[in-house]
């Protein structure tokens, strides 16, 4: 499969867009910079029995305080389970955990892609009103860079994550990979960089499989992109977006290199 990134070729953005070709780099954004203020804010639940809470704390102590012996862990856990101001039934504990999880999530870097190269709204919003460009990358599972992408889920309600009962992968899927269904038309996929966070990351020249020019991309910009591709040794398939003769949609046609 191919995954796509819409980009602008306007004066302010052209240099960054051409860096994709010239330097084979993609920028992973910080979630704080996203245009949707509802993202990365799952509902945090600590609902659990005392036994489940104690088991969760025991695992936490073993990971975070490995020098504590078994007796010390049990004593500390028993104290916390009984403390109504700090245990899993405490509103304060829920708020503390929510704030902590939100801070952790904000530190990651995210690359947003789509599996749809001919979406009229995507071209309007992210492709500079159809004057820009769309890169198509190898998103197969064997690809070391783009193969890491995960499909975004869309929902009409906030996802809920139970910190005590749910697997850490569930928190990841529900918080980082869930968006409002208002955005479902984007058909988004995401690559998440948890360890290094936001920044510039390099991919292989061979990963670039398609370059699609917008409906209104000017000839001079097309020639500039072609020249950059040649200089970088990239040989992707070149396509042009055109109006469908009968329907409100785009057709993609091959063009000469």
């Amino acid at each position: 499969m191919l995954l796509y990134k819409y980009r602008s070729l306007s004066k302010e953005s052209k240099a960054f867009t051409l860096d994709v070709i010239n330097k084979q780099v993609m920028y992973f954004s910080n979630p704080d910079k996203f245009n949707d203020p509802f993202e990365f804010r799952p509902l945090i639940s600590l609902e659990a029995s005392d036994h489940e809470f104690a088991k969760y704390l025991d695992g936490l102590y073993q990971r975070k305080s490995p020098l504590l012996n078994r007796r010390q862990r049990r004593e500390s856990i028993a104290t916390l389970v009984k403390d109504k101001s700090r245990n899993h039934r405490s509103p304060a504990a829920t708020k503390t955990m929510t704030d902590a999880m939100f801070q952790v999530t904000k530190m990651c870097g995210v690359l947003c892609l789509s599996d749809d190269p001919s979406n009229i709204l995507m071209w309007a919003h992210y492709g500079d009103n159809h004057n820009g460009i769309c890169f198509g990358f190898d998103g197969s599972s064997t690809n070391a860079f783009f193969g890491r992408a995960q499909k975004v889920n869309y929902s009409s309600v906030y996802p809920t994550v139970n910190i005590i009962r749910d697997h850490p992968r569930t928190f990841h899927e529900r918080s980082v990979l869930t968006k409002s269904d208002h955005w479902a038309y984007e058909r988004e996929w995401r690559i998440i960089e948890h360890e290094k966070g936001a920044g510039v990351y390099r991919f292989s020249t061979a990963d670039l499989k398609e370059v699609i020019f917008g409906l209104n991309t000017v000839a001079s910009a097309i020639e500039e992109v072609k020249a950059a591709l040649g200089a970088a040794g990239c040989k992707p398939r070149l396509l042009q977006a055109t109006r469908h003769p009968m329907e409100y949609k785009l057709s993609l046609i091959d063009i000469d290199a």
Side-chain angles (χ1 to χ4, degrees):
M1 68 176 295
L2 295 184
L3 293 173
Y4 297 90
K5 185 68 176 178
Y6 292 82
R7 295 298 297 266
S8 170
L9 287 171
S10 67
K11 183 180 296 185
E12 298 80 8
S13 304
K14 182 185 291 186
F16 297 103
T17 297
L18 291 179
D19 277 348
V20 176
I21 300 171
N22 297 327
K23 300 178 181 179
Q24 297 88 54
V25 294
M26 299 295 287
Y27 182 74
F28 284 56
S29 302
N30 187 286
D32 279 352
K33 303 296 189 292
F34 282 20
N35 59 3
D36 183 0
F38 292 90
E39 283 213 63
F40 296 86
R41 293 179 178 272
L43 299 177
I44 301 298
S45 170
L46 298 182
E47 181 179 349
S49 66
D50 288 352
H51 174 73
E52 288 173 319
F53 182 52
K55 185 176 179 180
Y56 167 78
L57 289 176
D58 189 57
L60 192 63
Y61 274 124
Q62 291 186 53
R63 293 192 303 273
K64 301 296 184 181
S65 303
L67 296 181
L68 292 180
N69 60 40
R70 187 177 182 182
R71 180 184 60 78
Q72 291 171 320
R73 291 200 310 271
R74 285 185 171 182
E75 289 176 354
S76 183
I77 289 170
T79 299
L80 279 174
V81 170
K82 294 177 182 178
D83 189 341
K84 294 182 180 180
S85 66
R86 300 168 62 198
N87 66 17
H88 55 300
R89 296 185 179 87
S90 165
T94 301
K95 183 181 185 307
T96 297
M97 190 63 73
T98 298
D99 292 343
M101 289 298 175
F102 182 56
Q103 290 302 317
V104 169
T105 303
K106 286 200 305 181
M107 295 171 65
C108 69
V110 184
L111 176 63
C112 302
L113 303 160
S114 172
D115 64 14
D116 185 0
S118 56
N119 187 290
I120 293 176
L121 289 178
M122 294 288 282
W123 274 105
H125 296 162
Y126 305 110
D128 190 26
N129 294 320
H130 298 260
N131 291 289
I133 192 172
C134 184
F135 295 107
F137 299 100
D138 176 13
S140 61
S141 59
T142 56
N143 186 284
F145 191 97
F146 294 97
R148 297 178 293 157
Q150 297 172 277
K151 194 172 185 177
V152 169
N153 302 304
Y154 298 96
S155 174
S156 61
V157 296
Y158 293 127
T160 297
V161 179
N162 189 306
I163 298 299
I164 298 172
R165 291 175 174 170
D166 289 338
H167 190 280
R169 186 182 297 111
T170 303
F171 171 77
H172 168 77
E173 292 174 350
R174 293 181 182 173
S175 60
V176 181
L177 296 174
T178 303
K179 294 179 65 171
S180 164
D181 55 11
H182 290 85
W183 300 94
Y185 72 91
E186 293 187 341
R187 288 166 50 176
E188 187 175 346
W189 291 67
R190 287 178 171 174
I191 303 176
I192 313 297
E193 183 55 61
H194 289 284
E195 294 184 6
K196 298 179 181 179
V200 175
Y201 294 85
R202 295 200 64 180
F203 60 89
S204 170
T205 304
D207 294 342
L208 181 57
K209 298 299 185 182
E210 289 185 358
V211 171
I212 306 168
F213 299 104
L215 180 69
N216 298 323
T217 305
V218 297
S220 59
I222 293 176
E223 292 306 313
E224 188 172 3
V225 169
K226 287 182 178 179
L229 289 169
C234 298
K235 297 181 179 180
R237 180 186 179 191
L238 301 181
L239 301 104
Q240 175 80 57
T242 63
R243 288 185 183 85
H244 188 279
M246 301 294 292
E247 303 174 43
Y248 286 114
K249 68 179 186 179
L250 295 171
S251 297
L252 304 179
I253 60 172
D254 286 281
I255 61 175
D256 295 331

